[in-house]
Amino acid sequence: MSRPSSLRSEPAGPDSRPPAQVAPLTQYVLKLVSRCDLACDHCYVYEHPDQSWRRQPRMMSPATVRAAAERIAEHAAAHRLDVLRVVLHGGEPLLAGPARLDATATTLRRVIGPVARLDLRMQSNGVLLTPTICDVLVAHDVKVGISLDGDRAANDRHRRHANGASSHHQVLRALSLLRSPAYRTSYAGILCTVDLANDPIRVYEALLAEEPPHIDFLLPHANWDSPPGRPDGHPTPYADWLLAVHERWLADGRPVPIRLLESLLASASGHGSRSEAVGLGPADLVVVETDGSFEQVDTLKSAFDGAAATGLDVFRHRVDDAAAHPGIAVRQTGLAGLCDACRACPVVGHCGGGLYTHRYRARNGFDNPSVYCPDLLKLVRVVTAAPVADGPAQPTDSLSPRVLDDLASGPGTAGSAAQLAAVHLALVRALLVTLSERAAGDPVAADGWRLLVHLDDAHPDAVGAVLTHPFVRRWVRRCRDGAAELSYLACVAAAAAVRARVRVDLPVPVRDGLVSLPTLGALAVGFERGVVRLGTDDGDIRLADRRITADPGHGGDPAREDGSDGWLPVRAVRPGGDRLLLEDTDPHRDCFDLPVQPRLSGAAALGWTRQLDQAVRRIDTEATDYAAGIRTLLRAVVPLRAEPTGRFRSAAAGVAFGAVAVTPVPDDATLAVLLVHEVQHLKLSAVLDVCDLFDRADTRTLRVPWRDDPRPVEGVLHGVYAHLAVADVWRRRPGPAAEGHFRRYRAWTEGALDALLGLDALTATGERFVQGMRATVDGWE
C-alpha cells in the first residue's frame, strides 16, 4: 500500500463521494471551546507549530453542535454502529459554563441517542469544575478525565496559569468533587504527561492518592525534527521512567488500571489495545473544531502548521468523507500502514509503531518509526513478559518477587490476590483468542465472537465480569481440546450483553433443554438441543414471547422457587457487599471429581446462602488475614452431593479458578475452614500457572501424614499451603478442641515443609516460596 508523505490534501467538494468501502468512525472529539484558562508550556494546541486555534471561534455554536450531532447520527445509522464515544474537549471545555454544557449534552443525546448508545466524555484541566457543573455532568452521564502531572512540584512544572500561578490546588479540589459519592459516577480518571524531571514513584503515588478509576500516562509530544530530550544521551529514559512505575504497580497488585501498561499486557495475550499509543488496532477518530471543521487527531498540531486539517466540515460533508481522507484512512490499516522498519520489527504487534504523531519527519512525513522507538522496544519487552497461554512454564517475573513473598506467607494481601485474578483473566483472554479462527467457521460462534469483541471495546467491565466466571475458563479449555461446544461462545457474549445493558439479537445454543448464561443463570426452552434466537435489552432477556429481568447485579432471590417463565437465576449472597454466587446451573461446573448437586429448591438455596454469608463473615472476624484473599478470589460456591458416609468434603480445581465446591456441612464454622482451605488451593494453582516452583520432570514422590498414598511434589505443595492456612485458622479459635486441631495441622505442615526442602526438587523461586511458608510457621507462638 502506498502511504502519503504528508497529511495535507485537497478539500473534497460537497458532492464528492467516498470510496465504496470506508471503515466507520466510532470516536469523536468535539472542540467545544478553543481557548484555555491555563498556559501549559507543553500543550500541543497552543505551544506547538500549528497555531490555527487563533482563527477558530472561541466557542462552538449550538448550530454547529447540532450539525455535528446529525452527521454523527447519520454515520452511525448508515454503518449500524451500536456505540459511539464523543469527547467534549478544547482548549478547556469548562469555559463553556454549566448552561452551555447542559445544552450541548442535551443536543447530543437527543440526536444520537435514538440511533446508538452514546458514551459521552470530557477531558478537562479541572480548574473551573464546580458542584453546579458536576450536577450537569451527572444528569447527562458525562465521564470526566482530569489532567494532573503528579504532586504540586511535578504539576507546576508545566501546568500553570498565564501569570505563573499554580493550578495544583484547583485541580485537587476538582478531583475531590469527583471522588464524592454524589459525583463519583462521572469520574473517568487522570491523564498524566511524563516528565523525566519528575520522580516516577512520587508521581504514581500522587495520582493513586486521588483514587482514579483509570490512569493514562502520555509521552510528551515530539517527532524526528523536534526530538524528546534524553539526559546525557541515555537511549531509553522514558521507558525507564515508565518501568519504574510498572514495577511498583505490579508490586502493589495493579490497584488501578494504567491504560498504557494494560494495553501492552492485553497485546501479550493476543487481545486488542485500548490506547492509540500502542497496538495495531484502528484509530477510528475524528475531531470537530469549534467552526465545524473535521480534523485529524489534534496531537498532529505538534508536527507542523496545518497537519491536522482535512478541508472538510460538518455542514457540507458527511463523516464518511472524513473517514475516507487519506490521513485518517491510513491509520485504520494496521500493519500495512506502517513503514518498512516497523513492519519487520518483532514487537510491532505490541507497540504498533507508536503514536502516529511521533513518527513525523519533514522529509518523508509519517513513514517512519516512532521517535520513541528505543523506549517502546524496551517497554514492550519488559511489560509483555507475562502469561500468554494456559499452563506452566511461564516467565517467573509475571509475578514480582514481592508478590510471591507475600503469598508465601500464607494469607497474602488483597493486592497480591488481585494480581492472581488479573493473571487468570489474561489466561482466559489468551485462550479465547486461540478459538477465534475456529469461531469464524461456525455461524453461531462467529456472531458470538463479533459481539464479544465489540462489547470488550465498549463495555470492558461487563466482559471482564463474565470472563472471570470460574467455569468460562473450564469451557474454553475443553473447547480448545475438542471436548466442548464452540457455539457456547454465543452464550458467553450474550451474558456480557445483558450485563452491559445493550440491545442485541443473536443465536445461542440449547443444551439439555437450557440456554445457559454464565454469571446470570439458565433459561429452560422446552426442547433438548438446538439453536434459538435470544434478545437482550437494558438488562432484560427476550425469547419468543418471554421477557425476563436477569438482575445481573444482584442474583435471584435464594428462596424463590423456579416458576413458569423457565428462568433459573443464579443465586447470590453479598456478605459485606461482595457478590458470591451459589452456582447450581452452569453446565461446566462438574469439574471436581465429586458429584455436583442439581438445581436446588428455593428452601435449600436459602439455607446455603445464609450459611455462606455467615461463614464469610466469620472469616472476617476470626481469620482476618485470609479474608482479603477470599473476598478477592472466591466468586462461586458449587453445592456437592452429600457423602453417604456423612463425611464433609470440599474441592477446588485449577481449571475453574475462583470456584470452590462443598458438600452440605452442619454449621458456618465448618464451612469457614473449608473455604479458607480451598481458596489456598486456588491461589497456589494461579501461582503455578505462571511460575515454576519445582522441576516438573522430577517424578519422585513424598509420603505425607494426611494421605495414605505417596504424593508428587505439586500435590505436596498444594497440601502444605492449604494446611498452613487451616492450622492458622484453628490457632485463632478458642478452646481445647481448636488447640488440638491446630497442633495436628501444624505438625503436618512442618513435616511436609522439611521434606520439600530436603528433596532438591524445587527451583530457586520454589525454595524461596517454601522458605516463606516455613518462616510463617516458625513465627507462630
Side-chain angles (χ1 to χ4, degrees):
M1 158 178 186
S2 61
R3 293 177 295 281
S5 59
S6 168
L7 295 184
R8 300 176 189 270
S9 68
E10 293 300 316
D15 298 322
S16 64
R17 313 309 297 172
Q21 296 293 327
V22 296
L25 302 180
T26 65
Q27 300 185 71
Y28 301 83
V29 173
L30 264 58
K31 296 284 188 169
L32 190 58
V33 178
S34 187
R35 300 295 185 272
C36 190
D37 50 348
L38 292 183
C40 307
D41 60 15
H42 57 8
C43 180
Y44 58 82
V45 174
Y46 302 109
E47 302 296 331
H48 280 81
D50 190 309
Q51 293 291 296
S52 58
W53 64 272
R54 298 179 185 277
R55 301 185 293 275
Q56 288 291 337
R58 295 181 64 87
M59 205 165 295
M60 186 177 284
S61 71
T64 303
V65 172
R66 185 169 58 255
E70 289 169 352
R71 288 300 192 190
I72 294 169
E74 173 189 61
H75 186 71
H79 293 274
R80 299 182 180 180
L81 302 177
D82 295 326
V83 181
L84 298 172
R85 174 172 291 183
V86 174
V87 182
L88 304 179
H89 213 287
E92 174 47 54
L94 293 183
L95 286 168
R100 181 68 67 91
L101 290 172
D102 180 74
T104 298
T106 297
T107 298
L108 292 170
R109 291 216 176 273
R110 185 185 70 246
V111 176
I112 300 172
V115 180
R117 191 180 75 81
L118 177 59
D119 178 9
L120 190 54
R121 296 185 176 245
M122 176 188 291
Q123 185 61 41
S124 168
N125 61 36
V127 168
L128 297 177
L129 193 68
T130 64
T132 301
I133 290 177
C134 285
D135 288 337
V136 172
L137 302 178
V138 169
H140 292 286
D141 190 21
V142 182
K143 303 291 191 296
V144 187
I146 299 294
S147 299
L148 177 70
D149 285 350
D151 59 14
R152 176 165 181 159
N155 198 67
D156 287 354
R157 200 177 299 280
H158 301 288
R159 298 187 183 277
R160 291 179 172 270
H161 289 277
N163 63 2
S166 169
S167 66
H168 187 251
H169 69 286
Q170 295 167 303
V171 180
L172 294 192
R173 183 188 62 199
L175 291 169
S176 178
L177 268 176
L178 291 172
R179 285 197 310 273
S180 66
Y183 306 130
R184 180 80 191 187
T185 57
S186 282
Y187 191 5
I190 292 176
L191 183 151
C192 173
T193 300
V194 173
D195 189 318
L196 300 180
N198 297 329
D199 179 83
I201 302 306
R202 289 184 62 183
V203 168
Y204 166 79
E205 290 174 342
L207 301 184
L208 201 61
E210 302 304 321
E211 301 175 18
H214 289 83
I215 295 174
D216 202 0
F217 285 109
L218 301 183
L219 293 169
H221 290 304
N223 54 58
W224 291 101
D225 292 338
S226 299
R230 297 186 183 277
D232 303 321
H234 184 50
T236 59
Y238 297 91
D240 295 341
W241 196 99
L242 288 165
L243 288 172
V245 172
H246 173 253
E247 182 178 4
R248 172 64 182 275
W249 178 64
L250 290 183
D252 287 348
R254 295 164 65 173
V256 60
I258 295 179
R259 187 164 65 149
L260 176 60
L261 301 180
E262 295 275 8
S263 293
L264 290 175
L265 288 170
S267 74
S269 62
H271 209 67
S273 167
R274 296 193 184 98
S275 170
E276 67 170 329
V278 292
L280 287 170
D284 57 342
L285 176 147
V286 70
V287 175
V288 181
E289 272 288 357
T290 53
D291 66 352
S293 300
F294 282 121
E295 288 197 344
Q296 302 166 64
V297 62
D298 51 354
T299 59
L300 288 173
K301 294 177 184 293
S302 65
F304 58 88
D305 188 32
T310 66
L312 310 174
D313 63 70
V314 297
F315 302 105
R316 300 176 300 144
H317 305 96
R318 301 165 301 159
V319 174
D320 272 7
D321 297 314
H325 183 277
I328 294 176
V330 73
R331 301 178 66 226
Q332 303 200 62
T333 57
L335 187 66
L338 300 180
C339 68
D340 293 341
C342 286
R343 291 202 303 272
C345 179
V347 304
V348 66
H350 303 295
C351 82
L355 193 69
Y356 190 77
T357 298
H358 298 164
R359 304 175 204 167
Y360 177 72
R361 191 193 304 263
R363 62 181 171 83
N364 65 341
F366 295 86
D367 199 20
N368 305 286
S370 168
V371 72
Y372 289 104
C373 183
D375 296 280
L376 292 173
L377 181 62
K378 183 173 183 177
L379 188 66
V380 165
R381 284 177 169 166
V382 174
V383 173
T384 60
V388 294
D390 196 27
Q394 297 298 330
T396 57
D397 60 358
S398 59
L399 289 175
S400 72
R402 178 174 171 178
V403 170
L404 284 170
D405 289 346
D406 179 48
L407 292 168
S409 71
T413 62
S416 296
Q419 186 159 346
L420 293 180
V423 166
H424 159 71
L425 180 57
L427 293 175
V428 175
R429 288 183 178 280
L431 283 166
L432 275 172
V433 170
T434 67
L435 300 181
S436 59
E437 187 173 348
R438 284 173 53 199
D442 181 300
V444 175
D447 282 354
W449 177 253
R450 284 192 292 270
L451 174 60
L452 196 64
V453 170
H454 163 70
L455 291 173
D456 198 31
D457 285 334
H459 304 278
D461 291 344
V463 173
V466 176
L467 297 190
T468 54
H469 188 54
F471 307 111
V472 169
R473 177 171 173 179
R474 199 227 174 184
W475 160 74
V476 74
R477 281 195 62 183
R478 296 182 71 236
C479 191
R480 182 195 62 180
D481 299 336
E485 296 173 335
L486 182 62
S487 58
Y488 186 72
L489 182 59
C491 294
V492 174
V498 173
R499 287 185 162 278
R501 298 186 176 275
V502 300
R503 185 187 320 153
V504 300
D505 183 85
L506 77 163
V508 293
V510 179
R511 175 183 176 182
D512 299 328
L514 300 173
V515 172
S516 297
L517 302 178
T519 73
L520 300 175
L523 183 62
V525 298
F527 53 91
E528 285 299 299
R529 299 187 73 82
V531 175
V532 296
R533 294 202 72 86
L534 189 76
T536 70
D537 186 6
D538 196 26
D540 287 354
I541 299 170
R542 291 178 285 103
L543 180 64
D545 58 348
R546 284 183 280 175
R547 187 181 185 95
I548 297 157
T549 298
D551 193 19
H554 297 88
D557 177 5
R560 175 183 180 271
E561 294 292 344
D562 299 328
S564 59
D565 62 0
W567 177 235
L568 313 177
V570 65
R571 280 74 167 244
V573 61
R574 304 184 73 90
D578 296 309
R579 186 168 184 255
L580 177 59
L581 305 182
L582 180 68
E583 186 56 86
D584 62 353
T585 61
D586 195 287
H588 301 284
R589 72 189 189 282
D590 56 341
C591 56
F592 299 101
D593 296 326
L594 293 168
V596 300
Q597 288 202 41
R599 177 72 172 177
L600 299 172
S601 69
L606 182 61
W608 272 91
T609 54
R610 283 176 174 171
Q611 195 176 71
L612 279 171
D613 180 80
Q614 293 164 356
V616 175
R617 293 179 188 275
R618 177 182 284 270
I619 293 167
D620 285 341
T621 58
E622 71 177 21
T624 309
D625 292 346
Y626 294 88
I630 286 174
R631 288 187 176 276
T632 302
L633 298 179
L634 185 59
R635 300 184 181 277
V637 172
V638 176
L640 296 173
R641 292 183 185 272
E643 285 271 302
T645 63
R647 181 186 175 192
F648 311 138
R649 301 285 300 277
S650 62
V655 295
F657 181 80
V660 166
V662 189
T663 60
V665 296
D667 52 49
D668 62 278
T670 303
L671 182 56
V673 174
L674 294 177
L675 293 180
V676 170
H677 178 276
E678 298 304 339
V679 170
Q680 289 296 99
H681 285 304
L682 294 178
K683 288 192 284 190
L684 190 60
S685 291
V687 169
L688 292 173
D689 276 337
V690 293
C691 298
D692 280 330
L693 300 185
F694 62 94
D695 181 1
R696 295 182 181 273
D698 193 324
T699 59
R700 288 177 291 172
T701 58
L702 292 170
R703 288 204 171 272
V704 292
W706 62 83
R707 291 283 294 253
D708 294 332
D709 54 326
R711 304 296 293 152
V713 173
E714 183 172 359
V716 179
L717 275 169
H718 266 284
V720 75
Y721 195 58
H723 288 142
L724 179 151
V726 173
D728 206 2
V729 172
W730 286 117
R731 183 174 71 92
R732 300 158 190 257
R733 286 186 178 176
E739 174 69 18
H741 288 312
F742 165 61
R743 292 187 181 281
R744 179 176 57 166
Y745 279 97
R746 177 175 182 168
W748 286 359
T749 303
E750 288 178 327
L753 286 170
D754 290 341
L756 282 169
L757 291 170
L759 189 62
D760 193 30
L762 301 175
T763 64
T765 302
E767 183 157 349
R768 178 170 173 165
F769 192 86
V770 174
Q771 290 284 12
M773 288 192 277
R774 177 83 247 189
T776 294
V777 175
D778 290 344
W780 290 338
E781 296 179 357

